[in-house]
Amino acid sequence: MRKLDDIASAILEYHPAAEVDVIFDAYFYSAKAHRNQSRKSGEAYFSHPVEVAWNLTRLRMDEKSVAAGLLHDTIEDTLATKEEIVERFGEEVCQLVDGVTKISKMQFSSKEESQAENYRKMILAMSKDIRVVLIKLADRAHNIQTLESLSEASRYRIARETLDIYAPIAHRLGIGWIKNELENGCLPHIAPEECRIIREKMERGREFRTIYVEKVCLIIEDELKEADIEGSIKGRTKQDYSIYKKMIEQNISFEEVYDLIGIRILTSSLKDCYAVLGLIHSLWKPIPGRFKDYIAMPKPNQYQSLHTTVIGPEGERVEVQIRTQAMHRICEEGIAAHWQYKEKTGPHYGDSSDSRLNWVRHLIENQKDIKNPKDFLNAFKVDLFSNEVYAFTPAGEVLALPRGSTPLDFAYAVHTDIGNHCELAKVNGKFVALRHKLRNGDQVEITTSKESSPSREWLSFVKTPKAKGQITHFINAHERERSFRLGREMLENAVRGYGMDPSLLINEQHMSEVLQGAGVMNLEGLYLGMGIGKISPLQIVQKLVPNEVLETRKGEEGSQVKLKEIASFKSTGSSIRVKCFNDDIHLRIGKCCNPVPGEPITGYITRARGVTVHHMDCPCVSDLGGESERLVVVEWEDEGQKDFEVRIHIVAEDKPGQLAEITQVVAGCNTNITRANIKQGANKRAYFDFLIEISDLAQLDETLSAISAIEGVIHVERIKANAGSAHRG
């Protein structure tokens, strides 16, 4: 276990003005609070907060953060209270401890809604004080090293959660050593057999790689001396988890992972980085497509380095990374490398100018427009796991976007108004479609127009959470306004239909009881409910208009109470009932799936058009995503026999008498063919498209089964318009 003096000495080395008394006090307070506790491994529990504090010194944290690391489990796991922590260590330390405690209580494997809420809390914690999440990362880094004493199920759960959440956050914050420790520490618990094989094979080739790396380093060292360039050279091997990930993603064996050997060269200046790159490429042949300049175009977490892969001595592939000492410090320490310590004010955390936290700010900015948990989770994961593409504005500014982004994503990244009014896009001087996928180095120019506005189609191809959130927000606001206008017109027209003046009847003061009965707060809510078909104008008017006027029009109005006939059905008599809605709500059958009586159905409130009825398995219903709250329960009502039109498609052998046999079988099922289209195809195939009349689903199933039993019939299916699935016989 680390000693108190080790921790104090470490912090004083990088922050000489640190007031270490608070660390000494926190050390003894934590030791006393945890004195009778043990970890699952049998170790004294106090060893854990001490290791967390040591990890925080590796992150170059200030004294209050290190003190909070020593105290981070006291509120949750001991008799210590927040009031005691505030009194003894101050409000700032207590807030850090409390923030870490709240994150520790989150269960990321729970239901979608709870999981989304936990992510939101973590993002807010990062935005308020990034130190809270850094302490949690230091805590998790030590916990991952001590998983062996837990059950197999617990080890897997914690390792999975770490790889899904904490390792990507460490990567986003640019903390390379924590990311590597978390990933490599989790591998034995999520893929024990694969991990064993990787480590065994790495061990077998260790001697060869050690000798080979020394040889390559000596060659480079001689070249640097001859060119009079100062630089340190270090060999490295690929991380276990990186090997595993590459094997899984590319579906290759260990033997097919060629870039196991790496060389890192640290120089003293930016100019020397490019000079060294030239030397390396003059020594060994570079592999095309494997050069990346992260110095000119840094990653969003401010990582900078030159990457190239060459064919080194003996034909071995060698990955070479070249960067300055300052760049290397940022790569390893991440956000901590930017914190400046001043004698009086101490370190500055989460400065608004620090671009490393931009992704956090973007998520906070956008989350107000992302209401659905599934959408929020996707947005969070896109921001964590995005594989970036770098595009340029006409002025030369670089924007980092997730791979697969389009000019529309680019437009929204520049400014929301530019995205909302995007009309045309040029990439590298040529006009492209708005759905065009951007590539590294593309220069993008956006043309806007006041007449242009987002359409629902845009949601099918934009990639970034910001673009999706802003487009959805715009469309919902636009449709809300349209529904409001439509609802107001419907109510006013209904009142005029009774010969009354709408201005005399329609006002909140006069309608307070009516609004309450309709379950809305005000006229705006009433209009919106009518506009989307959720509230019946007729029933509202009947409560507003005097009884004597109603009596005069009773006969005429009575006919309007029944369900409107569904245009898709040829005959009358059958209907669909919508539960919890008024009887005269407008209904229509979805043309995408054309459900027939007996099939499972659901209703979808269509803005300004009432309720559309879909088959339960219709792809349109599956794609609703964040709008599932607009689904309503609908059911068939039997009101006598009637016929429904259904289209069927038959593939059969092209032989004499085939059509006659099919039509006879259809007639034998009491099914009528109203339209037929017959085509001859290749390979002696015939194709029949029939429009048939059936009374219910049972008759349709009987007809399809009978047709499929005919000799020579290869395939029969019901065509559900544009739906993705078909009923096969």
Side-chain angles (χ1 to χ4, degrees), residues 92-118:
E92 186 178 351
V93 171
C94 182
Q95 286 180 357
L96 293 173
V97 173
D98 188 46
V100 177
T101 301
K102 287 175 179 175
I103 292 178
S104 299
K105 289 180 179 178
M106 296 179 186
Q107 294 294 323
F108 290 101
S109 57
S110 58
K111 290 183 179 178
E112 198 171 77
E113 291 81 0
S114 304
Q115 192 180 14
E117 188 56 35
N118 286 336

Side-chain angles (χ1 to χ4, degrees), residues 48 52 56 61 64-65 67-77 92-106 108 121-122 125-126 129-140 143 166:
H48 171 62
V52 172
L56 291 168
M61 300 291 282
K64 290 184 178 179
S65 301
L70 287 163
L71 300 167
H72 78 277
D73 277 337
T74 53
I75 294 178
E76 185 178 9
D77 294 333
E92 186 178 351
V93 171
C94 182
Q95 286 180 357
L96 293 173
V97 173
D98 188 46
V100 177
T101 301
K102 287 175 179 175
I103 292 178
S104 299
K105 289 180 179 178
M106 296 179 186
F108 290 101
K121 289 176 183 175
M122 180 174 285
M126 281 190 276
D129 195 330
I130 191 65
R131 291 178 293 175
V132 170
V133 172
L134 293 174
I135 295 169
K136 184 60 188 175
L137 288 176
D139 168 53
R140 184 54 62 104
N143 278 334
Y166 293 105

Side-chain angles (χ1 to χ4, degrees), residues 665-728:
V665 167
V666 171
C669 296
N670 294 319
T671 302
N672 183 37
I673 299 175
T674 61
R675 191 181 306 162
N677 184 24
I678 301 150
K679 282 195 213 175
Q680 283 185 312
N683 302 319
K684 293 187 177 181
R685 293 285 186 268
Y687 302 93
F688 305 88
D689 278 324
F690 292 154
L691 201 62
I692 62 174
E693 289 181 338
I694 55 102
S695 58
D696 53 29
L697 185 59
Q699 186 182 6
L700 174 62
D701 287 337
E702 179 189 354
T703 304
L704 293 177
S705 297
I707 294 171
S708 64
I710 298 172
E711 185 179 352
V713 170
I714 299 166
H715 172 75
V716 58
E717 66 178 351
R718 170 193 170 194
I719 304 299
K720 295 182 180 179
N722 296 322
S725 59
H727 187 306
R728 287 176 169 77

Side-chain angles (χ1 to χ4, degrees), residues 113-333:
E113 291 81 0
S114 304
Q115 192 180 14
E117 188 56 35
N118 286 336
Y119 288 141
R120 289 183 196 268
K121 289 176 183 175
M122 180 174 285
I123 291 166
L124 288 172
M126 281 190 276
S127 69
K128 289 177 181 176
D129 195 330
I130 191 65
R131 291 178 293 175
V132 170
V133 172
L134 293 174
I135 295 169
K136 184 60 188 175
L137 288 176
D139 168 53
R140 184 54 62 104
H142 182 248
N143 278 334
I144 288 300
Q145 296 173 6
T146 56
L147 285 183
E148 288 299 336
S149 53
L150 302 181
S151 68
E152 184 179 347
S154 295
R155 292 200 306 270
Y156 182 86
R157 177 183 59 79
I158 294 170
R160 188 73 267 165
E161 176 187 280
T162 301
L163 290 175
D164 287 345
I165 307 299
Y166 293 105
I169 287 176
H171 172 63
R172 267 299 193 175
L173 296 176
I175 310 170
W177 68 268
I178 282 192
K179 170 184 173 288
N180 291 336
E181 285 193 9
L182 291 177
E183 289 179 342
N184 293 327
C186 289
L187 184 59
H189 307 292
I190 63 158
E193 185 59 23
E194 291 87 344
C195 179
R196 182 188 63 78
I197 292 171
I198 289 170
R199 290 182 177 177
E200 280 182 3
K201 292 187 176 182
M202 287 292 285
E203 185 60 36
R204 270 185 235 141
R206 190 174 305 281
E207 185 178 353
F208 165 77
R209 286 192 298 275
T210 301
I211 296 170
Y212 186 86
V213 165
E214 288 176 359
K215 178 181 178 180
V216 172
C217 287
L218 286 172
I219 295 172
I220 296 173
E221 190 177 326
D222 290 341
E223 289 292 324
L224 293 184
K225 284 180 182 176
E226 191 173 330
D228 197 23
I229 297 174
E230 289 185 12
S232 64
I233 308 160
K234 186 177 181 182
R236 62 183 191 87
T237 54
K238 201 173 187 71
Q239 300 282 334
D240 294 346
Y241 185 77
S242 295
I243 296 170
Y244 167 76
K245 190 176 177 183
K246 190 165 189 175
M247 289 168 60
I248 295 298
E249 288 178 352
Q250 298 183 16
N251 193 25
I252 58 177
S253 65
F254 177 87
E255 287 70 24
E256 294 172 285
V257 180
Y258 295 115
D259 52 348
L260 295 176
I261 298 169
I263 302 292
R264 182 175 295 140
I265 305 169
L266 305 182
T267 70
S268 56
S269 71
L270 177 63
K271 178 184 70 174
D272 286 345
C273 289
Y274 289 97
V276 171
L277 177 67
L279 284 175
I280 297 297
H281 284 180
S282 66
L283 278 171
W284 300 297
K285 186 177 180 180
I287 296 175
R290 295 300 302 271
F291 169 65
K292 294 177 183 175
D293 188 345
Y294 292 120
I295 292 179
M297 292 187 292
K299 291 186 177 184
N301 61 11
Q302 301 305 298
Y303 174 90
Q304 288 184 290
S305 186
L306 298 175
H307 289 195
T308 186
T309 302
V310 297
I311 304 295
E314 303 172 36
E316 291 287 336
R317 289 191 181 198
V318 181
E319 185 186 44
V320 182
Q321 297 178 354
I322 308 164
R323 50 183 177 251
T324 65
Q325 296 280 358
M327 292 172 190
H328 182 62
R329 183 181 163 202
I330 290 172
C331 172
E332 291 302 303
E333 299 174 8

Side-chain angles (χ1 to χ4, degrees), residues 518-537:
V520 294
M521 300 288 294
N522 48 37
L523 269 176
E524 181 184 1
L526 184 68
Y527 291 148
L528 286 172
M530 289 179 182
I532 64 174
K534 194 173 181 180
I535 298 175
S536 161

Side-chain angles (χ1 to χ4, degrees), residues 409-430:
D409 294 293
F410 182 93
Y412 277 103
V414 174
H415 197 278
T416 298
D417 285 342
I418 293 177
N420 282 342
H421 297 292
C422 177
E423 182 179 40
L424 299 169
K426 277 185 179 180
V427 173
N428 303 324
K430 295 181 181 179

